[in-house]
């Protein structure tokens, strides 16, 4: 029984990382209906930026992280303004290919600049600092990631539902031409969306980096975050978070009781099943456009 509870706790913990990456991808999708496959590498370069500030410039953790959040926002805005916006007559497939290209460029830059070796991220909480509750080990870093995921989900949900900017983002996604007619600057909205998404991704990267710090560290969280986003519905923030925790628990149960080697495959099997049964996701409504 203790082993089962421990597996579930570990699944919830890893699901928090998936939730953060899923939230970051959904923010862009809710505005542009394009999945951003560069999300992981945007978080990656933000994490290495924070590491550089901490090690090379001996900055305090709080100052370095604050500057990293500013850097992440500027990075997201720059990528949208300098690359995505320059695409002529873009379609969804073309935009996806562009995001994959951005991903490769950012990954190549980090590999060239910092090398492929494992690095150590100075962090106030160590990866092995844990609570022990009745023989159940709970990492302090995992608790922090869980709190961050739930807090960001709540803030973003309220932001999209009640703020003028959030409503403008939803309007841009539903009908960009109509949004422009009523005075919404859709290009500026898209740029700000990329900035906010990059900020959320940077939070995920900073919380993952104390455990693993190398150029490919964000691939698994990004792919699993995308799986959670598809599973929950690409427009439902609570759905993405719930699906991320479901995915983390199912994945860990499969690894603990069936096969650790094929644990990673579970996420993509779930994607196929969900798309076959409910293409819009478990927690998202399916809208049919009438002409």
């Amino acid at each position: 029984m203790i082993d089962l509870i421990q597996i579930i706790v570990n699944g919830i913990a890893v699901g928090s990382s998936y939730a953060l990456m899923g939230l970051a991808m959904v923010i862009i999708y809710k505005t542009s209906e394009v999945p951003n496959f560069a999300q992981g590498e945007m978080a990656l370069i933000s994490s290495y930026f924070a590491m550089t500030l901490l090690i090379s410039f001996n900055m305090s953790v709080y100052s370095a992280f604050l500057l990293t959040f500013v850097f992440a926002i500027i990075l997201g805005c720059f990528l949208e303004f300098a690359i995505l916006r320059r695409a002529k007559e873009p379609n969804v497939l073309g935009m996806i290919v562009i995001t994959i290209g951005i991903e490769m460029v950012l990954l190549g830059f980090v590999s060239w600049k910092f090398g492929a070796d494992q690095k150590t991220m100075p962090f106030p909480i160590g990866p092995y600092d844990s609570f022990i509750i009745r023989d159940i080990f709970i990492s302090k870093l995992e608790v922090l990631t869980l709190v961050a995921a739930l807090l960001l989900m709540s803030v973003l949900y309220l932001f999209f539902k009640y703020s003028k900017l959030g409503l403008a983002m939803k309007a841009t996604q539903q009908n960009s031409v109509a949004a422009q007619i009523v005075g919404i600057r859709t290009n500026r909205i898209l740029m700000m969306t990329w900035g906010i998404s990059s900020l959320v991704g940077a939070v995920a990267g900073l919380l993952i980096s104390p455990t693993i710090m190398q150029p490919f560290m964000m691939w698994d969280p990004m792919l699993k975050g995308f799986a959670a986003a598809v599973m929950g519905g690409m427009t439902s923030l609570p759905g993405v978070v719930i699906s991320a925790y479901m995915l983390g628990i199912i994945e860990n149960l499969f690894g603990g009781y069936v096969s650790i080697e094929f644990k990673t495959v579970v996420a993509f099997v779930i994607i196929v099943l969900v798309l076959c049964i409910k293409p819009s996701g478990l927690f998202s409504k399916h809208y049919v456009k009438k002409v």
Side-chain angles (χ1 to χ4, degrees):
M1 188 62 182
I2 293 295
D3 291 340
L4 175 61
I5 295 174
Q6 184 67 65
I7 288 173
I8 292 174
V9 168
N10 291 342
I12 293 173
V14 73
S16 298
S17 300
Y18 303 163
L20 286 170
M21 291 306 300
L23 285 172
M25 297 194 75
V26 164
I27 291 170
I28 290 179
Y29 189 86
K30 281 176 74 69
T31 305
S32 64
E33 293 191 336
V34 175
N36 175 23
F37 289 102
Q39 196 72 62
E41 275 55 45
M42 290 164 64
L44 172 72
I45 199 167
S46 295
S47 300
Y48 272 88
F49 179 80
M51 184 191 70
T52 301
L53 294 178
L54 290 167
I55 295 176
S56 301
F57 296 92
N58 295 317
M59 295 184 67
S60 67
V61 171
Y62 301 106
S63 299
F65 283 9
L66 181 61
L67 284 177
T68 299
F69 294 150
V70 174
F71 169 81
I73 294 172
I74 294 173
L75 173 66
C77 293
F78 172 78
L79 291 176
E80 192 283 327
F81 178 80
I83 301 176
L84 273 298
R85 194 179 299 184
R86 306 305 159 192
K88 294 185 178 180
E89 300 180 1
N91 54 35
V92 173
L93 180 59
M95 298 297 276
I96 290 175
V97 172
I98 290 173
T99 64
I100 294 174
I102 295 172
E103 174 191 16
M104 294 294 103
V105 170
L106 294 177
L107 177 62
F109 174 79
V110 171
S111 300
W112 165 73
K113 181 66 177 178
F114 298 97
D117 298 334
Q118 172 74 24
K119 301 291 190 300
T120 301
M121 166 68 87
F123 203 83
I125 302 174
Y128 304 109
D129 295 342
S130 304
F131 302 107
I132 302 177
I133 304 174
R134 294 188 178 182
D135 297 327
I136 304 297
F137 288 84
I138 305 174
S139 166
K140 293 181 180 179
L141 189 61
E142 292 170 346
V143 172
L144 179 60
T145 307
L146 171 63
V147 172
L150 296 177
L151 181 61
L152 281 172
M153 180 207 70
S154 302
V155 171
L156 289 170
Y157 178 81
L158 295 173
F159 170 77
F160 277 107
K161 193 171 182 65
Y162 297 109
S163 73
K164 288 184 178 180
L165 179 58
L167 293 173
M169 288 178 177
K170 291 173 66 176
T172 301
Q173 181 260 332
Q174 291 173 3
N175 193 322
S176 61
V177 176
Q180 288 177 332
I181 291 173
V182 297
I184 296 174
R185 298 182 178 181
T186 54
N187 283 338
R188 184 176 297 180
I189 293 296
L190 284 171
M191 184 174 69
M192 295 177 70
T193 300
W194 272 73
I196 296 171
S197 173
S198 181
L199 171 63
V200 176
V203 173
L206 290 175
L207 292 170
I208 292 170
S209 56
T211 305
I212 178 172
M213 188 76 179
Q214 45 95 350
F216 295 94
M217 72 181 201
M218 295 305 300
W219 271 34
D220 190 66
M222 191 276 290
L223 291 174
K224 302 296 176 59
F226 178 63
V230 172
M231 181 178 171
M234 290 293 290
T235 59
S236 173
L237 295 173
V240 170
V241 173
I242 294 170
S243 298
Y245 290 125
M246 290 172 58
L247 181 62
I249 292 171
I250 293 170
E251 187 181 59
N252 271 32
L253 287 172
F254 187 89
Y257 292 104
V258 181
S259 171
I260 191 68
E261 288 83 4
F262 290 96
K263 186 177 83 167
T264 304
V265 179
V266 174
F268 305 102
V269 173
I270 292 174
I271 286 182
V272 173
L273 292 176
V274 169
L275 290 177
C276 289
I277 298 169
K278 198 170 185 295
S280 58
L282 298 178
F283 301 94
S284 182
K285 294 180 181 179
H286 180 65
Y287 294 98
V288 178
K289 292 184 179 180
K290 295 182 180 181
V291 180

